Amino acid sequence: MKKLMTLMLGLSFLVGTVAVSYAQDAPKTEKKKGKKKGKKKEGETQKKGL
C-alpha cells in the first residue's frame, strides 16, 4: 500500500511539472523582413545632382 501511494504521488508530480512546462512555452512567431536598403553615401547624391 505504501509503494502504491508513493507511485501515485510521483506520477502526480510528474504530470504537474509536464503540464506547467508546456503551458509556459510561448508560440514562436517569426516575422519575415524585406531586404534592407543600404544608406547612400554623400558623394552619390552629389553625383546624381550634376
Side-chain angles (χ1 to χ4, degrees), residues 15-33:
V15 169
T17 54
V18 168
V20 169
S21 65
Y22 279 116
Q24 289 178 352
D25 289 340
K28 294 181 180 178
T29 55
E30 295 181 9
K31 295 181 181 177
K32 292 183 180 180
K33 295 182 180 178

Side-chain angles (χ1 to χ4, degrees), residues 4-50:
L4 180 63
M5 292 298 287
T6 305
L7 182 63
M8 294 298 285
L9 181 65
L11 286 174
S12 66
F13 282 134
L14 180 66
V15 169
T17 54
V18 168
V20 169
S21 65
Y22 279 116
Q24 289 178 352
D25 289 340
K28 294 181 180 178
T29 55
E30 295 181 9
K31 295 181 181 177
K32 292 183 180 180
K33 295 182 180 178
K35 294 181 182 178
K36 293 183 180 179
K37 296 181 180 179
K39 294 182 180 178
K40 294 183 180 179
K41 295 180 183 177
E42 291 179 13
E44 291 178 5
T45 56
Q46 290 177 356
K47 289 179 184 176
K48 289 184 179 180
L50 294 176

